[in-house]
């Protein structure tokens, strides 16, 4: 019980991990905990639009869990291809060992399996959570007129190349709408 | 699809609803979106400690959904017993009508049922989510030495009276540890 309580308090730190993208109203940057809640809700409401049948409960749990490693490893910007991105896997594996290892064995193993499954990306649920994970910041950026992309010099083509292959095969209708909004932005 | 996308963007506003309690490190107040994520994770990891068998998937979805109405209705401080608390139910019912009504019927009805079930508090899952919802800010306050309670002149007896009846019957081991920490605080 004490181990699970310690893990619960440790999770609080994810609220202080800052992502690059802003909230839809532009007021501040998003943190990874609230982003993970948004993905959990997305996993609940978009399942009926997916091209494959989805185990929604598993997808929701995966959405909540997949970024917990950022407590130790920090957020890696989706368009980063420098040293930070290169060391991402090793940092996140060590973080998963430590964080999920805080829990009693069956519960820790359950979360670790969700995280591993997401990372491998080989199941319908992993592909679905990855699609909503790419969709979410793209939509928030689009609502805000593409500010984060402009600030980092990221072109429209790069947004399409980075997100299309993950979103379009899983949520083609979402991608169609996002692509229409993208064409309204400067290239 | 457009309705679901609009709902998804609307959900972003929950990240700007501020609660009274602070993060465990005291750095700032918590918002309702990140609180909801924390509850979803708690629902995943504490289920084995509950006194009743729990449908974990349902509890997680309920934890994520139960505070969405605060987008319109705002947060009501747990120890508020003034006018704001008295009008809470009417404000939240109107919020539920509007927000869940944004979605296509089957999905909107699913979220509305989760919210209604939580509000009625009559199922094992509703009691469990209410227990983790009471446990979470209490633990964050305890880690921080009871600062929010002191700021609002809330005595230890009031914390026990408010939270014990919800936490103790559902998660007795959690309550035992919290109660031990509470006795270390000034009354």
């Amino acid at each position: 019980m004490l181990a699970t309580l310690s893990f619960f308090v440790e999770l609080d730190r994810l609220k202080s991990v800052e992502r690059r993208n802003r909230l839809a109203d532009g007021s501040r940057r998003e943190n990874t905990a609230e982003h993970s809640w948004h993905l959990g809700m997305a996993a609940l409401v978009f399942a009926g639009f997916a091209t494959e049948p989805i185990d929604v409960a598993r997808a929701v749990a995966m959405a909540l869990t997949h970024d917990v490693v950022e407590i130790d490893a920090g957020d890696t910007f989706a368009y980063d291809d420098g040293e930070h991105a290169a060391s991402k896997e090793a940092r996140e594996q060590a973080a998963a060992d430590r964080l999920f290892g805080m829990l009693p064995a069956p519960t820790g193993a359950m979360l670790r399996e969700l995280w591993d499954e997401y990372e491998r990306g080989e199941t319908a649920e992993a592909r679905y959570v990855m699609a909503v994970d790419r969709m979410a910041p793209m939509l928030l950026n689009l609502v805000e007129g593409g500010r984060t992309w402009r600030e980092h010099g990221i072109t429209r083509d790069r947004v399409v190349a980075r997100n299309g292959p993950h979103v379009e095969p899983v949520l083609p209708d979402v991608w169609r709408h996002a692509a229409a909004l993208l064409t309204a932005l400067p290239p």
Side-chain angles (χ1 to χ4, degrees), chain A residues 52 116-127:
Chain A
E52 295 178 279
D116 285 339
E117 181 178 333
Y118 176 80
E119 290 294 307
R120 283 194 302 270
E122 290 167 356
T123 62
E125 288 70 30
R127 284 189 290 270

Side-chain angles (χ1 to χ4, degrees), chain A residues 85-108:
Chain A
S87 66
K88 181 175 187 266
E89 194 183 330
R91 282 182 290 117
E92 293 194 344
Q93 286 287 346
D97 290 347
R98 186 185 82 79
L99 289 158
F100 302 134
M102 290 179 72
L103 284 164
T107 309

Side-chain angles (χ1 to χ4, degrees), chain A residues 61-160:
Chain A
M62 195 182 290
L64 299 184
T65 306
H66 86 287
D67 273 341
V68 162
V69 294
E70 293 187 7
I71 287 172
D72 286 355
D75 182 52
T76 303
F77 186 39
Y79 300 90
D80 184 352
D81 16 275
E83 202 175 308
H84 191 69
S87 66
K88 181 175 187 266
E89 194 183 330
R91 282 182 290 117
E92 293 194 344
Q93 286 287 346
D97 290 347
R98 186 185 82 79
L99 289 158
F100 302 134
M102 290 179 72
L103 284 164
T107 309
M110 172 192 71
L111 297 192
R112 179 66 188 241
E113 277 164 28
L114 286 168
W115 183 74
D116 285 339
E117 181 178 333
Y118 176 80
E119 290 294 307
R120 283 194 302 270
E122 290 167 356
T123 62
E125 288 70 30
R127 284 189 290 270
Y128 175 62
V129 173
M130 189 165 290
V132 294
D133 190 30
R134 295 299 174 94
M135 173 196 82
M138 196 173 58
L139 287 175
L140 298 186
N141 264 319
L142 281 166
V143 169
E144 223 208 328
R147 178 169 159 192
T148 307
W149 296 321
R150 272 201 309 282
E151 281 176 354
H152 294 90
I154 291 156
T155 62
R156 197 165 65 191
D157 285 355
R158 222 168 139 209
V159 175
V160 170

Side-chain angles (χ1 to χ4, degrees), chain A residues 30-44 60 63-64:
Chain A
E30 192 182 31
N31 72 60
T32 302
E34 62 198 1
H35 161 72
S36 299
W37 167 77
H38 213 167
L39 291 195
M41 290 300 298
L44 274 179
V60 170
L64 299 184

